[in-house]
Amino acid sequence: SLIGAVGGQGIYAIERPTRTLSAMLSQAGGVTIEPEVAQITVIRGNKREKVWFQDLFQNPEMDIALRGGDRILVETDSRAFTVLGAAGTQARVPFPTQTISAIEALAVVGGLSSVAADPKGVFVFRNEAADIANQVMGRTDLEGAQRMVYVLDLTRPNGVFTARDFVIRDQDTLYVTEAPFTQWNKTIGAITGTLGSAQGLANSTQALTGQ
């Protein structure tokens, strides 16, 4: 049986031309979502295995032979990351491809804000497994998921290359800090705005009292 994002959902007989997973998907009209984010799940009894649609054709060994009773589910990749701060857009963004780097993730949301962002402060917040956290921190005593923060400085000579090689994972949060002058302008704006409001109130009071 085939369900999900396929051209024709239903129950199909396994015949010689359709005995493999890719052939059966073709028989059902193919996938109806973007191939880059399509995931194929095969459920056989109590076992469940998942493969990317593109990997199915790039790696022939993944194109398994089907058995009676197999269930095939085609669905869109559900992974997403969040972008906050001085970026082009602040939003929760679905993964557009199987893998995406920090540079590509920023490009998806319009890059850094040209008038507000500080390229020295691109932070990636992530929950890391204990074994990875121990390697990063050079420790051996950490247990359980650890909250980690990675800093990417795009102004360094190899900063862009580092960000290009840094792979974003599911549920990551990218935060772009504001440049110092932007924070300064906000502070000055708050002060001058307060002074302006106070001066306006004083003028209104004088007008009411006739002084």
Side-chain angles (χ1 to χ4, degrees):
S1 60
L2 286 94
I3 57 175
V6 291
Q9 300 186 56
I11 299 175
Y12 292 81
I14 299 176
E15 301 173 341
R16 183 175 294 276
T18 59
R19 64 185 181 86
T20 63
L21 180 56
S22 62
M24 185 62 76
L25 289 171
S26 298
Q27 179 69 16
V31 300
T32 58
I33 55 179
E34 292 295 330
E36 293 81 2
V37 294
Q39 291 184 329
I40 315 300
T41 301
V42 178
I43 305 171
R44 179 175 295 171
N46 295 326
K47 295 183 178 181
R48 175 190 296 257
E49 296 292 341
K50 183 177 294 186
V51 63
W52 291 95
F53 179 72
Q54 289 185 323
D55 288 347
L56 188 61
F57 293 92
Q58 295 174 359
N59 301 281
E61 67 274 9
M62 294 184 177
D63 193 12
I64 63 172
L66 298 176
R67 297 180 183 176
D70 282 352
R71 289 172 290 167
I72 303 170
L73 170 64
V74 181
E75 58 186 346
T76 302
D77 179 18
S78 60
R79 297 174 304 159
F81 61 91
T82 304
V83 180
L84 300 173
T89 302
Q90 300 185 53
R92 184 175 185 272
V93 185
F95 273 56
T97 55
Q98 289 187 37
T99 59
I100 184 170
S101 68
I103 282 291
E104 292 169 333
L106 291 172
V108 168
V109 296
L112 304 181
S113 172
S114 60
V115 297
D118 182 3
K120 293 183 178 181
V122 178
F123 294 84
V124 180
F125 297 83
R126 171 184 299 168
N127 289 338
E128 287 284 22
D131 56 341
I132 296 178
N134 278 314
Q135 292 181 27
V136 173
M137 302 298 293
R139 299 170 57 172
T140 59
D141 60 327
L142 298 176
E143 299 180 357
Q146 301 292 317
R147 294 179 177 179
M148 304 284 290
V149 181
Y150 299 93
V151 184
L152 301 174
D153 184 352
L154 302 184
T155 64
R156 301 186 64 177
N158 64 340
V160 173
F161 292 99
T162 300
R164 189 186 65 181
D165 296 335
F166 191 95
V167 178
I168 297 300
R169 297 180 185 171
D170 186 26
Q171 303 303 319
D172 276 357
T173 298
L174 276 74
Y175 180 79
V176 182
T177 57
E178 292 184 335
F181 72 87
T182 302
Q183 299 175 1
W184 170 256
N185 287 341
K186 285 186 176 181
T187 302
I188 294 299
I191 294 174
T192 56
T194 301
L195 293 176
S197 298
Q199 184 62 44
L201 179 60
N203 293 339
S204 299
T205 303
Q206 291 178 0
L208 290 173
T209 59
Q211 296 179 357

